[in-house]
Amino acid sequence: MKLDSENEWGYYVDTETFQISNIEEDIPDGSLVIIKEKEYIEDISRTVIQTTYGIVNKDEFRPMNKRDISSLMSEACARYILTSDTFPPKVKIEKDLKEDKPAQLAFILSNYDMFHLKISSKMLEGKNPYELISEMVKHDTARMTLKDKEEIWLIEYAKSSRSKCRSCSSKIEKDTVRVGEPYYYEDHLNYRWHHEKCVFWKTIDKNQVTGIDELEEDDRKRISGFMK
Ligand SMILES: [Zn+2]
C-alpha cells in the first residue's frame, strides 16, 4: 500500500498480532490502517490533521467508519484473547466487568485514536467474558514483569501464514516454527518474527527463550541444539 501525498502519513495494526508498524508496501490483509493528512484550511487559517480509518484488502485501502472498525477490532481482540490468554497490546478495560454482559474494553492507540470494544460470549466461543477476562487480568502482571527481566524470545508455531520474517522478508508458513524477537512499543511487549533459519542463534542463550517446551519433540531437539 502506498500513501498518496507527502502530506500523508500513517500506521497500521496487524489484527492477528496487534503489532503496530509504519505504513509500508506490503501490509497483511485485514490490517487496520490509520492515515493522517495535514490540511490547511484557509477560512480559519489553520492546519488541521484529518484521520481516515480503514482496512487493507488485497493491497487496497478500504475506508471504514469508526463504528465498523470497533466491531472489527472487537472480533480481532476476542481471537487474540482466545489464542494467547492475555490482552492484546493497547487494550484496556474501559468499564467494570459485569457478569452476563459483554466486556467493554478500549483499544487506545493515542489520545485521538481510540476504539470502544465489546467482547461478547459469542465471540469467545461461548466462554463467559466476565469469567475469562477477570481470570486473565489476574495473570496480566506476567507480561509487564518481563520488562524488568531480560528480554525473552518466544518460539511457537505460526498461527497463520500472515507473518513475515523480518530477516529475509518472506512469508512464515502456518504451523512452521517462528521465532519472536522481543521489543517494546511504548510499554507493550511485541515480537518481530523470524524463520528459525534466519535467526543468529549463537547470540541467544537457552534461558532467554520461552515456548520451546510446547514444541513437538523433533522441533524441540533441533531448536535446542542451535542455542548455547
Ligand atoms: Zn527468514
Side-chain angles (χ1 to χ4, degrees):
M1 195 191 131
K2 279 210 179 88
L3 293 168
D4 292 336
S5 77
E6 280 177 16
N7 292 330
E8 287 187 354
W9 72 99
Y11 51 100
Y12 75 92
V13 182
D14 184 313
T15 48
E16 184 202 350
T17 60
F18 277 69
Q19 279 190 45
I20 300 162
S21 321
N22 287 321
I23 287 181
E24 53 194 1
E25 256 176 61
D26 217 358
I27 299 180
D29 263 2
S31 295
L32 161 64
V33 176
I34 292 128
I35 298 175
K36 304 276 179 186
E37 188 182 7
K38 242 188 220 167
E39 200 179 346
Y40 183 74
I41 300 188
E42 274 179 41
D43 293 353
I44 54 167
S45 313
R46 267 178 61 190
T47 301
V48 296
I49 292 168
Q50 310 275 13
T51 306
T52 314
Y53 303 110
I55 59 158
V56 162
N57 193 293
K58 297 199 177 82
D59 226 33
E60 253 176 63
F61 176 70
R62 307 206 172 161
M64 273 170 95
N65 64 39
K66 224 172 165 177
R67 234 172 86 198
D68 290 342
I69 296 282
S70 286
S71 37
L72 185 108
M73 292 314 287
S74 299
E75 298 277 355
C77 178
R79 281 197 302 273
Y80 190 103
I81 288 174
L82 282 175
T83 47
S84 67
D85 245 352
T86 54
F87 276 165
K90 306 267 176 210
V91 172
K92 303 222 154 43
I93 294 179
E94 189 173 29
K95 294 200 177 135
D96 286 346
L97 299 166
K98 290 203 179 84
E99 278 182 84
D100 309 319
K101 286 261 169 68
Q104 298 195 43
L105 312 179
F107 178 47
I108 306 166
L109 285 164
S110 72
N111 292 340
Y112 306 100
D113 303 313
M114 201 261 256
F115 302 89
H116 304 286
L117 310 183
K118 242 186 202 176
I119 313 286
S120 65
S121 122
K122 198 177 152 207
M123 293 174 184
L124 297 173
E125 294 171 353
K127 296 189 176 83
N128 182 323
Y130 173 82
E131 282 168 21
L132 187 70
I133 292 172
S134 318
E135 192 57 32
M136 239 176 57
V137 177
K138 270 191 227 159
H139 301 293
D140 201 41
T141 47
R143 193 163 45 136
M144 297 310 292
T145 51
L146 272 181
K147 196 180 181 179
D148 308 324
K149 299 179 190 165
E150 270 185 288
E151 300 201 328
I152 303 291
W153 291 60
L154 173 65
I155 298 175
E156 63 173 31
Y157 293 114
K159 295 179 185 111
S160 73
S161 298
R162 279 166 42 197
S163 56
K164 270 203 312 182
C165 172
R166 294 295 181 114
S167 307
C168 73
S169 302
S170 61
K171 226 201 253 177
I172 301 174
E173 295 296 332
K174 185 174 193 255
D175 298 328
T176 61
V177 173
R178 68 177 181 183
V179 184
E181 174 193 358
Y183 74 97
Y184 284 88
Y185 186 90
E186 293 176 2
D187 266 347
H188 293 280
L189 177 60
N190 274 294
Y191 296 100
R192 292 191 179 93
W193 298 107
H194 303 269
H195 293 113
E196 60 171 89
K197 67 174 168 58
C198 296
V199 172
F200 192 59
W201 289 102
K202 286 200 174 70
T203 58
I204 306 173
D205 190 273
K206 277 194 177 113
N207 301 320
Q208 260 178 286
V209 300
T210 183
I212 284 216
D213 294 341
E214 267 107 85
L215 299 180
E216 278 162 38
E217 199 184 348
D218 287 358
D219 294 326
R220 189 170 59 235
K221 280 189 180 155
R222 186 181 65 255
I223 304 271
S224 303
F226 293 154
M227 279 176 288
K228 282 190 287 186

